[in-house]
Amino acid sequence: GSDYRGLQGICTRNEVTMYMVLLSVYKILLSKLCNVEDVVVGSPTSGRSHIDLEGIVGMFVNTLCLRSFPKGDLSYDAYLGELKKDVLDAFEHEQYQYEDLVDSLELIRDESRNPLFDVAFSYHHRDASLEEVSDSGDITIETS
C-alpha cells in the first residue's frame, strides 16, 4: 500500500535498505520507551561464507550486536545515516564469532540474560519470486 511506498521512498532518498529503515524506527522506539540514547540490539545473520561449509547440513547463524545513539537532537535522516554506517561496519565484521566477542570483553556472565543486548531485531524480506514459483503448479509454498 501507500505506507510501504512511503518507506521505500525513505530508502531511496537515504540510499539505505528496508532493514535499516525498520531497524532505525525500532531503535528510536526503544530509545523513547526506555529514555536512553545508547541502544544495543542483537540481529541474527546467516550464511555460509567459507567454502568448507558448503557440504555441511544445517543452518549457520551468528548474532551481530548493533549499537547506535538515537539522540533527540538529531534529525531522522541524520540518525539514519549514522545507523547505515554502523550497520555496514557490523556486517563487514559478521564473521567475528559472537562468543569470541563476549569472551574478549571479559564480561561477568549472568546466565539469566544475554550479556550484550536485551532485545533483538530480525527482518525477513519476502521475495516476490516465491509467488511466481508457487504459480507453476510443481511446488506448493505456504507462508505464515
Side-chain angles (χ1 to χ4, degrees):
S2 63
D3 293 337
Y4 184 74
R5 283 192 296 275
L7 291 173
Q8 286 179 313
I10 293 171
C11 292
T12 302
R13 183 176 68 244
N14 292 282
E15 298 180 338
V16 296
T17 63
M18 186 63 73
Y19 170 87
M20 292 175 191
V21 169
L22 296 176
L23 177 63
S24 71
V25 171
Y26 183 58
K27 285 186 161 214
I28 290 169
L29 174 66
L30 291 172
S31 173
K32 299 295 183 192
L33 289 174
C34 301
N35 197 29
V36 296
E37 292 184 335
D38 183 354
V39 179
V40 180
V41 171
S43 189
T45 64
S46 62
R48 298 166 187 253
S49 60
H50 197 276
I51 191 125
D52 293 339
L53 301 176
E54 286 183 9
I56 298 175
V57 175
M59 185 174 84
F60 292 82
V61 178
N62 196 23
T63 303
L64 295 179
C65 294
L66 303 173
R67 184 179 189 187
S68 65
F69 304 91
K71 296 180 180 171
D73 60 345
L74 283 178
S75 71
Y76 175 72
D77 287 349
Y79 172 64
L80 186 57
E82 287 181 6
L83 182 124
K84 174 185 177 180
K85 180 187 174 307
D86 295 339
V87 168
L88 292 175
D89 287 347
F91 276 96
E92 280 256 331
H93 300 95
E94 72 178 308
Q95 296 308 311
Y96 193 82
Q97 294 298 308
Y98 176 79
E99 286 301 321
D100 293 341
L101 175 62
V102 172
D103 290 344
S104 70
L105 294 173
E106 299 179 1
L107 301 172
I108 297 172
R109 299 294 295 254
D110 176 355
E111 297 300 322
S112 69
R113 62 184 299 269
N114 187 293
L116 299 179
F117 57 87
D118 291 316
V119 295
F121 178 82
S122 179
Y123 174 75
H124 175 72
H125 176 72
R126 185 172 166 190
D127 190 353
S129 65
L130 288 178
E131 293 175 14
E132 294 171 14
V133 171
S134 67
D135 290 338
S136 69
D138 296 335
I139 299 173
T140 301
I141 297 175
E142 295 180 12
T143 58
S144 55

